[in-house]
Amino acid sequence: MKVLVCIKSVPAVAGRITLTPDARAIDTKHLGFAIGPHEECAVEEAVRLIEAHGGEAVVLTLGPSTALEQLRDALALGVARAIHLVTDGQEWDPESTTAAIVEAIRADEAASGPFDLVLVGNEAGDSADYQVGVRIGRALGRPVVTAIKGLSVADGRARCEQEASGGRDVFELPLPAVVGVLEGINLPRFPSVPGRLRAKSKPVEASEPARPAQRLELQRLVVPQGAAKQAVVLGHGPDAAPAVVEVLSNLGVL
Amino acid sequence: MPTILVLATTADGAVDDISLQALTFGRRLATGGPVHALVVAGEPGAEGTPAEATAAGFGAYGAAQVHLARHPAFETFAPDAVAAVLADLAGRVAADAVVGPGTEAGNTVLARAAARDGQPFAANCIAATLGSPAQVTRQRWGGTLQEEAALHGDRAYVSVAPHAVAAEALDGSSAAVDAFTPDIADADLVVRVVDRVAAAASGISLAEAKVVVSGGRGVGSTDGFKPIEELASLLGAAVGCSRAVTISGWRSHVDQVGQTGTKIAPNLYIAAGISGATQHMAGAKGAKKILAINKDAEAPIMSAADYAVIGDLHQIVPAISAEIRRARGA
Ligand SMILES: Cc1cc2nc3c(=O)[nH]c(=O)nc-3n(C[C@H](O)[C@H](O)[C@H](O)COP(=O)(O)OP(=O)(O)OC[C@H]3O[C@@H](n4cnc5c(N)ncnc54)[C@H](O)[C@@H]3O)c2cc1C
């Protein structure tokens, strides 16, 4: 089978978020980048599907030139080749992101056959727009499911599981289909050293799509002012235990 | 004055609070204009399907007209079918905005309806004003960052971040319920729930626990969680963890607290060996009190926690358990 996995490179923010002077982006001068958690699991899922059924996994990202590193990470895990839609670093809204991805999918399918599955992260780690997968499916006329935590493929159908109260809801889709994956669907492997070496020589097809007018137009980012607290130190080391228990008792949780 | 259509979802046939929040949000957006709500339901009396009275219940929150779409297909979740009815109704009532709950189900239905309608969609908003363009403020990074954006379209599709507004009933308000049977195309029933597998009941649910005890990278291993589990069981607490733990394979992802894990709202959250990354804390915002146990007195979690113990969790956690036993005279 042929599986496409769409990933987004996101800044690995940990502590407080700082913005660029124009407040349109996170200041990444001192930050690394990573594949978003949902997409990391989507990559693992794509690799497992190919291991089980044979075929080819392809990874795609729309992002700046630095996102090549995240494509290489996916290639190191067993994805065969990459498609990089290179941006100048400005964000693309969900509709223009979808349009660029759909065009790339059509071009790839014309050259090397249809994808049975397109996997996306359920929502991007940074912008969390909750719609690119749905829009890709709509544009290609393929069924889409979101929030998926279990996936298996047999006889041209995908069985997709979604967490629900008291159990899991099951969808069964005819292929080709689009699936939005949630972190927790699997435990992603770490790349091996030979995997990393092989990734360096795997093909990456780069192109620079034009960024259309934005209909969800980012104007400004704001870091909400949380109530800045300073923890009361109850003590150091195990000797603090009685003070902790007193607090637990006062909070009524003992 | 604008016309607003609100997608109201139900949980096991009953009104759900997140939809009442969306309705409250939609009503404010309407600034006195007409507010419609769409409720989908299966055949009357079918298990878990909302009754007419449930639909009418949305009236108290400001929906003047509740459209109750009844169809056997709605006895299980069929997101494209709901989206088809929603987008169609938006056209029929000439809605200026379509609003819904920022849940997985709400977001997927709104995204599908917006795509059908050829309109932009802004997920997880905390504020909005209509106009051309409409303006929204929406959550990113699990709410640790906000985006102000313009929405350029003919109709604004907006989902409301959970708990961005409190549900507020409107005195003396009630709705006319218009029950109808929509035509649903087969193509819109390809994506639908065909089966439900029951999960094995497992302890206290993280999302609902009154006390949560979590461990992070500082715990060091799968076995390192034994003292954390022991403290949790003494407190009747659920065990949680950070993403550093789940990606190391020490615990299953169901235990992960955070942006891409579970959002918790306990009375007390004990976080041991967790640095307090924004994505972790995005899941712990609902905690009333936080106790951090960390060897680093400067860890970011110190400015989110109420109490802290500084030092090695491997010594501190068992000492707390021992002290609880002693206090209980066991
Ligand atoms: C898009 C995105 C989404 C994410 N979603 C989530 C999420 O849902 N949940 C989540 O948790 N993370 C999430 N992360 C990851 C997050 O950024 C952090 O990497 C992660 O939370 C760190 O986990 P940690 O605090 O356990 O580890 P670290 O940051 O490594 O911190 C370990 C802490 O333990 C302390 N420590 C070490 N040894 C001891 C000891 N013996 N005794 C006491 N203290 C000790 C250290 O001082 C340190 O503070 C996400 C990241 C991204 C990019």
Side-chain angles (χ1 to χ4, degrees), chain A residues 67 134 213 222 253:
Chain A
V134 165
V222 179
V253 300

Side-chain angles (χ1 to χ4, degrees), chain B residues 286-297:
Chain B
K288 291 208 181 69
K289 295 283 178 193
I290 298 178
L291 164 65
I293 301 172
N294 202 298
K295 65 179 184 189
D296 175 9

Side-chain angles (χ1 to χ4, degrees), chain B residues 209-229:
Chain B
K210 295 284 172 241
V211 181
V212 175
V213 185
S214 277
R217 197 192 306 277
V219 173
S221 65
T222 307
D223 280 351
F225 270 88
K226 291 222 172 82
I228 303 267
E229 284 169 355

Side-chain angles (χ1 to χ4, degrees), chain A residues 107-126:
Chain A
D108 198 87
E109 293 191 332
S112 66
F115 289 106
D116 299 287
L117 270 173
V118 175
L119 303 183
V120 298
N122 193 62
E123 84 277 1
D126 54 355

Side-chain angles (χ1 to χ4, degrees), chain A residues 202-219:
Chain A
K202 288 183 175 173
V204 179
E205 186 189 317
S207 60
E208 286 181 36
R211 181 173 177 269
Q214 306 286 290
R215 298 216 299 170
L216 175 56
E217 184 198 0
L218 165 68
Q219 293 173 322

Side-chain angles (χ1 to χ4, degrees), chain B residues 217 242-243 256-260 273 275 279-280 294 312-313:
Chain B
R217 197 192 306 277
S242 71
R243 181 165 185 255
Q256 181 175 314
V257 171
Q259 181 183 327
T260 52
S275 63
Q279 304 91 349
H280 183 79
N294 202 298
D312 184 356
L313 72 94

